[in-house]
Amino acid sequence: MEAVEDGHTMNQPRPAVLPVGVVAVNRAAAQLRSLFPQASIREDTASNSLLVVAAPGDLQSIRAVLQGIDVKSPLDTTTEVISLRSVRADSTASRLQHTFSDARFSVVATRQLLITAIPARLAQIRTAVAALDAPAQTAPPVAVSSDAVRIVQRRPADVARALVAQVPGLRASVSGSTVMLVGSQDAVTRAKALVAQIDVPVFDARYTQVYRIRAVDASSVADLLRRSFRDIDVTVDVSINALAVTTTSAQHQRIADAIAQLDPLPGASPSAPAGGTFSGSTTEVVTLRSAVPGQTSGGIDAVNAMTQALAVIVPDLKVVQLPTPGQIALIGSDQSIRIAREFLAKVDIVPPQVVLDTEILELDETVAKNLGVQLGSAVISTTFTESTPTPDANGIVPRLGRLQGLSRTPISFTAQLNLAIANGHGRVLADPRITTLSGRTASIRAGDTISILTTTAGNAGTIATTQVQSFQTGVTLDITPLVDSDGGVTVALHPVVNSLIGTNGGVPEISTRDTQTTVHLRDNETLVIGGLIQENETRTTTKVPLLGDIPLVGRVFRNDQVNNSRNELIIVVTPHILAPGTNVLPGPPLRNVPTPKPLPTLPPDAKLPPPSGQLPQTALPNALPRPRTGASPRSTSAPATATATSAPTPAAFASTNVFTFGAPPQSNYAKSSDPVQIFYAMLSPTVVSNGTSVHLAVVTTSNTTSVKLQLGSQQIGLGQTGPGQWQATFAFPGGAVPSGQSATTLYLTANRLDGSSSAIPISINVSSP
């Protein structure tokens, strides 16, 4: 019964006020009365609103219908002013008038148009104006590159003029024998290719080229070249182990190829020349002086550090760690081993020794005071005793309730006067001396080890175990000195003091004091570390209740016992740098080329290696393959530069039954704070009926979070297919358009999380099924 009554209450008519904004209120009321005869609808012309009394379901339907009919007629014209940026208003008006004949265009100013048209046509005109008024696209900035090319055979000024004439956009300047090239990356690359073709000697012209020899004696190479080539001039420079050869270009290429095979670059595998054998590998064992056997921090790690450094400094040298601590094997050419030994002579130095004089002073001061009157266990005491009960005449002992005579002992009073003060001073001095290498840590420990037995109870089936647990007490000092090149010492100290202050259940209680610091001292300079103080104070008061609290007189009935202890630790450190004595370390050796040890020479019967077909890089750094016969420098073409063209102006009716807004941009990226914008929208078809499949594609800024299409009271959400790209395919709901209406406007809205949005109207035609 209650449910029926509630349902009946929910279906009762309810009043509502519905404002009307566009159409006349009497017209809206007439249409609604024809659709909802059961509802009570009255007009209020003063406020242009409707007073409706209807059931909740009918009231919701009335609101939806009123929202559909209370719109401006799409056939009514509107006027709008459009401002132009890059085109003139008169020329734009004439072009638009031919396309949109049903609209009126008026020129307000040079850059302003006054347009009168229906809303659907006005949206198309805006799209056309946006395409016509697009700003001219500027070419992207070109990165400027520069390079310097050394000219060997030609006059640098002639080469610079030829390059400027052949390469557009290139600037060239001459500095001595070098031509500076400035321009785009493509222009500089083309210019360097032309220089490689221009800067070549005349055919059969003789010129001089210098060849540096690395691993072979230059004199033996010169003898081989004289036997292999005729009409060449070879000069040997013994001081730098180099050759100066004067001959033609063709022979220079063969000579450079041969020297590249006889004297390869570092890291390349040397080739054995024809007619003889050649090997430049040498093995040498080096014992590192700075390695400390038995210490991980100074021994093995030091060897690894040296090995890694040599691998970077001398790439073609192979370094092998030997089983003997501190020994490494160097395998490579004599030049590589010489560079490695020069490096080791600079870094593999025995660190100086440092003597550390330390003084550890511990001052212990105790004060005990016991002042006042100390009473006994009983302040005033006496003993009461009842007399033995006597029998009456009948021999009966009186009952318990009848007390006999009482007697007492004399009153006793005991008190002790304390006037005691005790002072104690303790002084513990340790003066250890320790010697260590620079960069190595030295430890000093002075104290005791306290051991206790701990028993671990076992579970069922296991045996209880007893272990010995140790506690360290005393002073521990870790010192790390580091000697610098100026004769100073950087000292890192870490003192720790552990003291036994008592036991708790048989377990020692340890008090710890420690500090850590790093200081810089001169030789024989003293450092004092103090302030490691531990102070304890204990006070015990004994007094007679009430009497001990009386001012002045109460001190007679009170006793105060005070114990005060103060412990301070002072550490004094003085470093002394030991002189190396007579073992003076040698300075870094000077670089001498050639070395006292002669370089290997070629065998007497060695022959010139056959040409490898490749020109070594060391001979001509800028050499490029020669052009084919008949080729001209002009044939070198730069890659085509893409020119950006503006999109063509969209026609008003370029496609039938398709709505198009804007154009897809080249980039739709936007920051989160940029406004939301709809760049492109395409809806097909624009003539629909109930159930027609409609496809919608939209391109927005990348910061858009949702896109929706509003159809009357219904909303359709679009799915995201990429950053700022949205699509949807749906069946057109005919119920969203009022019956009898042939045209309607849809609103496409792009939203962002913070509420910012952008919307465009889409006009469609609705046909009866």
Side-chain angles (χ1 to χ4, degrees):
M1 186 65 183
E2 294 178 358
V4 174
E5 291 178 356
D6 293 341
H8 179 70
T9 302
M10 293 177 60
N11 293 327
Q12 288 183 355
R14 296 181 181 179
V17 178
L18 305 180
V20 182
V22 178
V23 300
V25 64
N26 54 358
R27 178 184 174 187
Q31 293 184 3
L32 291 176
R33 288 193 188 100
S34 62
L35 296 175
F36 304 95
Q38 69 278 12
S40 174
I41 303 175
R42 290 186 301 171
E43 305 95 345
D44 186 359
T45 56
S47 61
N48 199 38
S49 59
L50 297 176
L51 304 179
V52 181
V53 179
D58 293 341
L59 188 60
Q60 183 177 1
S61 301
I62 292 174
R63 292 179 186 273
V65 173
L66 181 61
Q67 184 179 3
I69 64 177
D70 189 25
V71 294
K72 188 177 180 180
S73 174
L75 301 179
D76 293 343
T77 59
T78 59
T79 303
E80 184 177 342
V81 177
I82 297 180
S83 299
L84 305 176
R85 294 173 296 178
S86 58
V87 296
R88 293 178 58 86
D90 51 358
S91 60
T92 305
S94 60
R95 296 180 63 179
L96 294 175
Q97 190 67 56
H98 293 291
T99 304
F100 305 98
S101 57
D102 55 346
R104 295 195 305 272
F105 301 91
S106 302
V107 178
V108 179
T110 307
R111 300 291 182 183
Q112 282 187 340
L113 274 179
L114 185 64
I115 304 174
T116 303
I118 61 177
R121 190 72 67 238
L122 193 59
Q124 296 176 354
I125 293 174
R126 289 197 204 97
T127 304
V129 170
L132 293 173
D133 195 31
Q137 296 185 358
T138 59
V142 180
V144 179
S145 178
S146 61
D147 202 346
V149 181
R150 186 171 180 268
I151 307 301
V152 180
Q153 303 295 332
R154 305 294 183 182
R155 293 182 65 247
D158 296 340
V159 175
R161 284 194 296 269
L163 293 177
V164 173
Q166 293 294 330
V167 182
L170 179 71
R171 301 192 304 273
S173 60
V174 179
S175 176
S177 61
T178 303
V179 175
M180 301 294 299
L181 305 176
V182 180
S184 63
Q185 182 67 32
D186 179 65
V188 173
T189 303
R190 289 184 56 192
K192 293 175 66 175
L194 292 177
V195 169
Q197 300 177 14
I198 296 174
D199 191 30
V200 294
V202 183
F203 180 73
D204 287 341
R206 295 167 61 87
Y207 62 94
T208 303
Q209 183 76 28
V210 178
Y211 300 94
R212 295 288 300 270
I213 312 300
R214 296 174 179 83
V216 187
D217 183 51
S219 301
S220 61
V221 178
D223 295 339
L224 176 60
L225 295 178
R226 292 190 185 97
R227 295 195 307 268
S228 303
F229 299 96
R230 296 182 179 180
D231 301 332
I232 65 171
D233 297 332
V234 182
T235 304
V236 181
D237 191 342
V238 181
S239 60
I240 61 174
N241 199 43
L243 299 177
V245 182
T246 304
T247 184
T248 61
S249 175
Q251 292 183 345
H252 269 302
Q253 293 183 9
R254 288 202 60 194
I255 292 173
D257 193 5
I259 292 178
Q261 299 181 45
L262 296 174
D263 185 38
L265 293 174
S269 57
S271 304
T277 60
F278 168 72
S279 176
S281 297
T282 306
T283 303
E284 186 171 343
V285 177
V286 178
T287 301
L288 300 178
R289 294 174 291 178
S290 58
V292 179
Q295 290 189 5
T296 302
S297 61
I300 300 177
D301 286 351
V303 175
N304 288 336
M306 295 291 183
T307 303
Q308 296 174 4
L310 290 174
V312 175
I313 296 175
V314 192
D316 59 336
L317 182 68
K318 185 177 182 180
V319 184
V320 180
Q321 298 184 23
L322 300 179
T324 304
Q327 283 191 347
I328 59 176
L330 307 179
I331 303 174
S333 62
D334 293 341
Q335 179 73 8
S336 300
I337 292 179
R338 181 172 65 251
I339 296 175
R341 291 193 65 87
E342 292 176 359
F343 171 74
L344 292 176
K346 297 177 181 178
V347 299
D348 185 27
I349 301 175
V350 178
Q353 292 185 345
V354 181
V355 177
L356 299 169
D357 286 336
T358 60
E359 296 181 2
I360 303 174
L361 181 63
E362 185 176 8
L363 301 178
D364 191 0
E365 180 180 348
T366 59
V367 176
K369 297 180 181 181
N370 192 1
L371 303 175
V373 177
Q374 184 177 1
L375 303 177
S377 57
V379 180
I380 301 175
S381 63
T382 184
T383 303
F384 292 90
T385 306
E386 183 182 3
S387 302
T388 304
T390 58
D392 55 7
N394 296 325
I396 299 174
V397 179
R399 296 180 180 180
L400 181 62
R402 298 178 60 183
L403 297 177
Q404 305 297 320
L406 299 177
S407 63
R408 64 175 178 83
T409 60
I411 297 177
S412 63
F413 179 83
T414 304
Q416 180 181 349
L417 179 62
N418 296 322
L419 298 174
I421 298 177
N423 292 326
H425 297 276
R427 186 171 183 268
V428 180
L429 178 64
D431 188 11
R433 169 176 288 192
I434 189 169
T435 304
T436 183
L437 293 176
S438 175
R440 304 293 186 266
T441 301
S443 298
I444 302 173
R445 181 179 178 275
D448 300 325
T449 301
I450 301 174
S451 300
I452 62 172
L453 293 177
T454 58
T455 303
T456 303
N459 298 327
T462 59
I463 303 174
T465 58
T466 302
Q467 298 178 350
V468 178
Q469 187 175 1
S470 300
F471 299 89
Q472 303 291 337
T473 62
V475 180
T476 302
L477 179 62
D478 294 334
I479 306 178
T480 305
L482 182 62
V483 180
D484 54 30
S485 58
D486 297 334
V489 182
T490 301
V491 183
L493 300 100
H494 184 203
V496 180
V497 180
N498 296 325
S499 303
L500 178 63
I501 61 175
T503 58
N504 184 8
V507 179
E509 294 184 351
I510 307 297
S511 174
T512 301
R513 288 172 290 166
D514 67 342
T515 184
Q516 191 168 359
T517 183
T518 302
V519 295
H520 184 271
L521 304 174
R522 305 299 300 176
D523 190 14
N524 301 325
E525 187 176 359
T526 301
L527 169 68
V528 179
I529 300 178
L532 299 176
I533 302 174
Q534 183 178 11
E535 188 170 357
N536 296 323
E537 181 177 352
T538 304
R539 179 182 296 270
T540 304
T541 301
T542 305
K543 61 182 178 180
V544 178
L546 299 179
L547 298 178
D549 296 330
I550 300 175
L552 300 178
V553 182
R555 297 197 57 86
V556 179
F557 304 96
R558 185 171 63 240
N559 181 77
D560 294 329
Q561 184 176 358
V562 180
N563 294 322
N564 190 355
S565 63
R566 187 176 187 274
N567 181 277
E568 181 178 3
L569 184 68
I570 300 175
I571 300 174
V572 181
V573 179
T574 305
H576 308 283
I577 303 176
L578 290 182
T582 57
N583 298 325
V584 181
L585 295 178
L590 297 177
R591 185 182 181 90
N592 47 0
V593 178
T595 59
K597 183 178 179 180
L599 294 171
T601 60
L602 298 177
D605 55 349
K607 297 181 180 179
L608 191 70
S612 62
Q614 297 180 355
L615 187 62
Q617 186 178 0
T618 55
L620 292 175
N622 297 324
L624 293 175
R626 287 178 173 271
R628 297 180 180 178
T629 305
S632 174
R634 296 176 180 268
S635 62
T636 305
S637 61
T641 303
T643 58
T645 59
S646 60
T649 303
F653 302 99
S655 58
T656 304
N657 208 13
V658 176
F659 171 82
T660 305
F661 171 80
Q666 295 182 353
S667 174
N668 66 338
Y669 171 77
K671 297 184 294 185
S672 59
S673 58
D674 292 344
V676 177
Q677 185 177 357
I678 300 177
F679 294 109
Y680 171 76
M682 188 276 292
L683 184 141
S684 176
T686 58
V687 179
V688 297
S689 60
N690 187 24
T692 303
S693 179
V694 180
H695 179 72
L696 177 61
V698 182
V699 178
T700 65
T701 51
S702 59
N703 58 358
T704 303
T705 56
S706 65
V707 177
K708 296 180 180 180
L709 182 66
Q710 185 75 30
L711 291 83
S713 61
Q714 298 185 16
Q715 284 187 348
I716 296 178
L718 278 70
Q720 187 173 10
T721 60
Q725 301 178 14
W726 312 80
Q727 288 187 5
T729 301
F730 59 94
F732 182 79
V737 181
S739 178
Q741 186 173 344
S742 61
T744 185
T745 302
L746 312 180
Y747 292 94
L748 182 67
T749 306
N751 303 290
R752 201 172 59 191
L753 288 177
D754 58 356
S756 177
S757 63
S758 176
I760 61 171
I762 301 177
S763 299
I764 61 174
N765 296 321
V766 182
S767 61
S768 300

